Amino acid sequence: MFVPLKLLRVLAFDTSIFLQRLPLHLGDLVFLRYLSITQWFQELDDVMSNNPNLQTLVVSGNGAPTIHLPSNIWTPPHLRHLKIGNLYMVYPPHEDKKNLQTLSWVVRPIHCRKEVYNKFPDIKELKIFLKDDIEPSHIGGCCRNPIILDHFDYLKGLEKLSISVSIRCSAALPEQCMYPSGLKKLKLSGTNISERDLNVIGMLPRLMVLKLENAFHGTVWNTVANGGFPLLIFLLLEAKELEQWVVSFHHFPMLRHLVLRSCNCLEQVPKRFSWLKSIELEGCRSSLVASAKQLQQMRRSMHFKDDLEIKIIGPKYDDSQNTHTQVSM
């Protein structure tokens, strides 16, 4: 049965060229609820201005230079999910968007403030890619001063937070940065956080997934706070300068999956991680691989029901009794 194009509710294209050739005025797609495209073009302005039913918009283009999207992208009154690739940027809305639950966008340093994020009072998932204030035509520019990211604890309903920083920017958290107590997933990429910041993160009562990609540049991480990371299940740690990682008995009680990436200076996996189910090592030194093997043998000697699975990515590890297996995360 043929459905008239103007009655479509879901429209997704890997390329936007075909969409531009449709024999239809795109402003007539007033029943559209879901729109996913890879490239923005001017005719889509009518969709945003005239569609009262749109709930999800995905513009997945990535690359450079940055292209500004029109402000009417915020117009649909029932917009719940907005995901924009790092090729595009849109200025914050003038009014509160109380229905918005998911937001993924590129922001300037001046927009990383409470006044902006307060416009999304019921946001549950926030992903920001921080770019510097250079003009699109300028190449090789950089942020003049380090960017201090604002607090996020005022986003009471936030469950997932991802912060990625452009390689040309330098960003850090406030001295006493706080997070929403209900946060379940946190990803920091390219930031500059301290050991104190890690201890604050460790006190989040519901955090289950933590990814630190080139975010911590210290040489020592000593988890000193009592009961740190009580529900954390998955940890990804990329820390090129980390030399020593001290974990007390009361930390990471639920941790099951550990990924260590480019930990060039770290020699040992904490011995208290014998309860892990999987360890993935990527671009790490051979002594770190050997310590993971020791944990595997320790677990076997303790007669655990499940074996510790180890995945090694990078230069081949010379071990005549290689027992590592593949892990799908």
Side-chain angles (χ1 to χ4, degrees):
M1 182 178 65
F2 176 76
V3 178
L5 288 177
K6 65 180 182 180
L7 298 181
L8 285 176
R9 294 191 177 188
V10 176
L11 189 57
F13 282 92
D14 289 336
T15 174
S16 303
I17 298 177
F18 177 76
L19 184 59
Q20 297 179 58
R21 297 176 179 175
L22 285 178
L24 174 70
H25 185 262
L26 296 182
D28 293 337
L29 298 174
V30 295
F31 296 101
L32 201 61
R33 295 186 179 182
Y34 180 99
L35 176 61
S36 176
I37 55 176
T38 57
Q39 179 183 355
W40 188 270
F41 53 95
Q42 188 174 0
E43 287 78 4
L44 291 173
D45 293 1
D46 293 336
V47 177
M48 306 310 299
S49 298
N50 301 325
N51 190 322
N53 298 302
L54 192 66
Q55 297 181 8
T56 300
L57 174 63
V58 179
V59 188
S60 55
N62 293 289
T66 303
I67 300 174
H68 286 269
L69 294 178
S71 59
N72 65 356
I73 204 171
W74 302 106
T75 301
H78 302 293
L79 190 64
R80 295 164 60 89
H81 310 285
L82 177 60
K83 299 181 179 180
I84 303 175
N86 63 25
L87 174 62
Y88 297 99
M89 177 179 294
V90 60
Y91 288 112
H94 295 293
E95 300 177 352
D96 293 353
K97 308 303 294 183
K98 297 182 179 180
N99 291 322
L100 200 68
Q101 296 185 3
T102 303
L103 176 60
S104 175
W105 67 338
V106 174
V107 295
R108 299 291 196 196
I110 59 174
H111 297 147
C112 297
R113 294 293 178 263
K114 177 179 180 180
E115 292 74 15
V116 173
Y117 295 117
N118 271 349
K119 296 182 181 295
F120 317 113
D122 295 321
I123 194 80
K124 295 185 181 298
E125 181 176 351
L126 176 61
K127 181 179 181 180
I128 62 177
F129 183 80
L130 186 65
K131 282 192 175 182
D132 51 21
D133 281 318
I134 63 175
E135 293 296 327
S137 60
H138 188 280
I139 300 177
C142 62
C143 295
R144 296 180 180 179
N145 299 311
I147 303 163
I148 304 300
L149 300 175
D150 210 342
H151 297 257
F152 295 95
D153 55 324
Y154 46 81
L155 299 174
K156 301 300 183 182
L158 193 64
E159 297 180 353
K160 300 179 182 179
L161 175 62
S162 174
I163 303 173
S164 298
V165 181
S166 167
I167 59 175
R168 293 189 295 266
C169 286
S170 175
L173 301 174
E175 290 187 1
Q176 296 180 348
C177 186
M178 302 300 294
Y179 300 88
S181 60
L183 202 62
K184 297 179 180 179
K185 296 183 179 181
L186 175 62
K187 177 182 176 180
L188 301 175
S189 179
T191 60
N192 185 14
I193 63 175
S194 65
E195 187 178 43
R196 179 190 63 249
D197 296 322
L198 291 175
N199 288 329
V200 171
I201 294 172
M203 299 308 294
L204 291 172
R206 299 182 182 179
L207 189 66
M208 294 186 290
V209 175
L210 176 60
K211 298 181 180 181
L212 301 173
E213 299 180 344
N214 194 30
F216 175 62
H217 302 286
T219 58
V220 178
W221 181 11
N222 189 354
T223 53
V224 295
N226 293 327
F229 304 94
L231 292 184
L232 195 69
I233 298 174
F234 179 93
L235 172 61
L236 185 153
L237 179 61
E238 179 185 2
K240 297 179 181 180
E241 291 85 15
L242 184 63
E243 299 177 1
Q244 187 178 10
W245 186 10
V246 181
V247 177
S248 72
F249 180 78
H250 300 289
H251 291 83
F252 302 98
M254 301 296 293
L255 188 65
R256 295 298 179 266
H257 307 286
L258 174 64
V259 177
L260 298 178
R261 181 185 299 164
S262 299
C263 293
N264 303 324
C265 300
L266 187 64
E267 294 188 358
Q268 292 186 351
V269 178
K271 294 182 179 179
R272 295 192 180 276
F273 283 163
S274 59
W275 57 80
L276 289 176
K277 290 186 176 181
S278 71
I279 298 178
E280 179 179 313
L281 303 171
E282 180 177 354
C284 298
R285 60 195 305 171
S286 59
S287 59
L288 189 61
V289 175
S291 71
K293 297 283 187 177
Q294 292 175 359
L295 284 180
Q296 187 182 57
Q297 295 300 323
M298 180 188 303
R299 187 181 178 90
R300 289 173 178 173
S301 66
M302 298 172 67
H303 303 291
F304 279 85
K305 294 182 179 180
D306 300 323
D307 195 12
L308 171 60
E309 298 181 343
I310 300 176
K311 180 179 180 181
I312 304 170
I313 302 175
K316 184 178 180 180
Y317 178 61
D318 186 12
D319 185 353
S320 59
Q321 295 181 352
N322 195 336
T323 58
H324 79 269
T325 59
Q326 299 295 312
V327 181
S328 298
M329 297 300 299

